Amino acid sequence: LQSGLPLFSNVKELYLNGNDFTILPACIQEFQFLTELYLEACENLHEIGWIPPNLEIFAVIDCTSLEELDLTLLPTWNKECCLLRKLLLCGCRNLEKLKGIPLNIEELIVESCNSLKDLDLTLPPSCTRQCRILSKLILDCCMDFEEIKGIPSIIGVFSARECSSLTSECR
């Protein structure tokens, strides 16, 4: 995969399903045309340290070794080039931390991430003029999920089914 992946640098959609890498290959950040990236059943994936600059849809499904997704560290998710519209995290049962959700994301779907305890969607003080356009927030079947902060008032779809650990204040 390491040697062959650069051959696909002009693709728009990329499915890296069932691979055994522990870190998403660094060459992926050079994929200028890539708008959709799907990682499914990459059971050894521990770290996502970079993504392509023009990514619009990012799906991480059944990547059971992933414990943290820190989007604040990714250089492509800055104010100038944050194009991500949809983030899908499903079945990442060891995912404990999700930080730095981009300001202009439209859909955030987190399902069956049993180790995730909280989600902070509040805007930092420097971003108060920018409006979050999150229209769909799904947090289903996250058994240990306790708290959600900063849900936008204009959200169209919200679901937190079978999140039995949500605090009474959050409910």
Side-chain angles (χ1 to χ4, degrees), residues 127-167:
C127 301
T128 52
R129 289 191 209 160
Q130 298 179 20
C131 90
R132 186 180 296 277
I133 55 174
L134 185 64
S135 62
K136 186 174 189 177
L137 178 59
I138 308 291
L139 301 166
D140 290 344
C141 301
C142 297
M143 301 305 180
D144 289 347
F145 201 73
E146 296 174 354
E147 186 176 18
I148 309 165
K149 295 178 185 174
I151 298 175
S153 59
I154 58 169
I155 196 157
V157 177
F158 175 76
S159 177
R161 291 182 288 201
E162 297 183 43
C163 294
S164 54
S165 296
L166 272 177
T167 63

Side-chain angles (χ1 to χ4, degrees), residues 1-11 13-16 19 21 23-31 34 37 39 50:
L1 182 65
Q2 294 286 358
S3 60
L5 194 57
L7 298 173
F8 298 98
S9 63
N10 291 327
V11 299
E13 293 180 26
L14 185 59
Y15 297 81
L16 296 175
N19 284 287
F21 49 77
I23 299 173
L24 187 64
C27 66
I28 201 92
Q29 64 188 332
E30 304 299 325
F31 286 35
L34 190 63
L37 177 58
L39 304 173
W50 34 72

Side-chain angles (χ1 to χ4, degrees), residues 58-168:
F58 187 30
V60 182
I61 302 167
D62 294 327
C63 295
T64 55
S65 295
L66 187 65
E67 294 178 1
E68 181 176 348
L69 184 56
D70 186 353
L71 306 175
T72 61
L73 300 176
L74 302 175
T76 58
W77 287 7
N78 58 31
K79 292 177 186 171
E80 292 85 40
C81 59
C82 182
L83 301 175
L84 190 69
R85 293 180 297 113
K86 183 176 182 177
L87 178 60
L88 174 64
L89 299 166
C90 294
C92 300
R93 62 178 177 251
N94 290 313
L95 183 68
E96 294 177 4
K97 295 180 183 176
L98 176 60
K99 299 188 317 188
I101 305 297
L103 294 174
N104 55 339
I105 195 162
E106 296 172 17
E107 294 183 31
L108 177 58
I109 300 170
V110 181
E111 295 179 341
S112 300
C113 294
N114 293 336
S115 297
L116 189 64
K117 295 195 181 305
D118 59 57
L119 182 63
D120 189 353
L121 298 170
T122 55
L123 294 173
S126 62
C127 301
T128 52
R129 289 191 209 160
Q130 298 179 20
C131 90
R132 186 180 296 277
I133 55 174
L134 185 64
S135 62
K136 186 174 189 177
L137 178 59
I138 308 291
L139 301 166
D140 290 344
C141 301
C142 297
M143 301 305 180
D144 289 347
F145 201 73
E146 296 174 354
E147 186 176 18
I148 309 165
K149 295 178 185 174
I151 298 175
S153 59
I154 58 169
I155 196 157
V157 177
F158 175 76
S159 177
R161 291 182 288 201
E162 297 183 43
C163 294
S164 54
S165 296
L166 272 177
T167 63
S168 58

